[in-house]
Amino acid sequence: MTPPQPDRAPRPRSSRASSGRYSLWRLLREGFTGQRGWSRAWAKAQARAGYRVVIVGGGGHGLATAYYLATEYGIRDVAVVERGPIGLGNVGRNTTIIRSNYFLPDNIRFYEFSLKLWEGLERRLNFNAMVSQRGTLNLFHTEAQRDLMTRRANQMRLLGVDAEGVSRDEVRRLVPLVDLDNGRYPVLGGFLQPRGGTVRHDAVAWGYARGASEAGVDIIEHCEVTGLRREGARITGVETTRGPIEAETVCLTVAGHSSVLAAMAGLTLPIESHVLQAFVTEGIKPVLDVVLTYGAGHFYVSQSDKGGLVFGGAIDGYNTYGQRGTLPMAEEVAASAVTLLPGVARLKILRQWGGVMDMSMDGSPIISRTPLAGLIFNGGWCYGGFKAIPAGGMTTAHLIARGEAHPAAMHLDLARFAAGRTCDERGIGPHPYLH
Ligand SMILES: Cc1cc2nc3c(=O)[nH]c(=O)nc-3n(C[C@H](O)[C@H](O)[C@H](O)COP(=O)(O)OP(=O)(O)OC[C@H]3O[C@@H](n4cnc5c(N)ncnc54)[C@H](O)[C@@H]3O)c2cc1C
């Protein structure tokens, strides 16, 4: 593949509305002048006939890839093509958790790279994404689990990443809401990553969109890709509901619809789609200031700034593209919730929703070239792709711009499945619904 060269003559930005710098001073000024100075955060672009790079999917990874292509690698002749409004896919449906507490060294490095990018992101984008490093606390309930978590914490520390063992008394102090003794599996202790936390998910899509648009990227909403244009073994563009668009490189960042788009190129991916649900309760006073995960079931919870408890569990086991989960899974999640936090039984659930997960065969993502020249793939994020957005965007942009994998993402190539060097974080094997 010939890597695209940086733009020699970046397109003029004069036609592009700039939303200006956001600051306290500007807020005050707008407050005193009738809020008349605000403009669109990103330009509503119309598609041109061709681009150097067309990114399919305006979720977190697509927008971040476009942003880093333009600002880090100097490639501005880029379009992001999204079938609906940006940000209504999984980037706006997740439970907002960020962390790098993985076990496999390659995964720790990749997610730590992402966490470091999160730490500087708001300043870089000049956008408040409400990055809150309140800590992620994983509980353990058996001695075997204590061993596993200690090993994981040690592995992280060896790689310079923050991780702390937490005693039972410390868990009691950190999360008074937890019932330590009366659950089916009493809490023995925990494992804390103090730098983990949450980020307001839709602000991430908006912030990257604003940054990309100002750097010259066209963000084209309500434009569904219906086919991939192919000449022999090369992809040359996309067919859309608004007509064809040519491209030197097409990059798929469509998360739950990865298999559908790959099939348009005649490719079958080691990915299955499943639905994952999330729930939010009515708002209550502050009771939980860490992200908490239950070790004896699949349940994780945090408290939003509005006061609702935001929680989720495992994916539904069947394959689907439907964005709604089933009652049995809702019951399973609720059962875990009240076992760990009995007080939750008295709260009303305000909202429940689902998102389609692209579950890979080893539970790790894919950022890779494909057998077709001109086609790059970013996907297989399972239910962990939100935290990976900055690193996913940066490494995918690197792959497009330089024609070779970014050092942090070399283990995420598609060829690993054929070569038998899978990146199976949980050691579960090719059972996507278990990862
Ligand atoms: C309930 C739930 C909880 C989760 N919790 C977490 C969490 O706490 N932490 C974490 O790290 N991850 C979490 N995730 C996973 C995370 O949200 C996803 O892995 C990640 O958002 C996927 O990447 P994305 O943002 O690019 O995807 P998306 O936002 O889904 O972007 C893909 C886009 O492609 C578009 N598209 C699809 N087909 C086409 C087409 N033909 N033409 C044009 N556009 C198309 C879609 O409309 C969509 O906007 C969770 C997911 C869910 C559903």
Side-chain angles (χ1 to χ4, degrees), residues 49 235 269 308 338 343 399:
I235 294 295
L269 295 173
V338 296
L399 178 60

Side-chain angles (χ1 to χ4, degrees), residues 138-142 145 149 185 293-299 340:
N138 296 46
L139 300 178
F140 56 79
H141 310 263
T142 64
Q145 261 188 329
M149 287 200 187
Y185 302 98
T293 71
Y294 181 40
H298 211 135
F299 172 72
L340 188 65

Side-chain angles (χ1 to χ4, degrees), residues 57 59-61 82-83 90-91 94-95 97 225 255 383-387:
H61 286 273
E82 164 57 47
R83 66 177 177 175
N90 293 317
V91 68
N94 58 66
T95 43
I97 301 167
V225 170
Y383 40 75
F386 176 67
K387 68 176 92 67

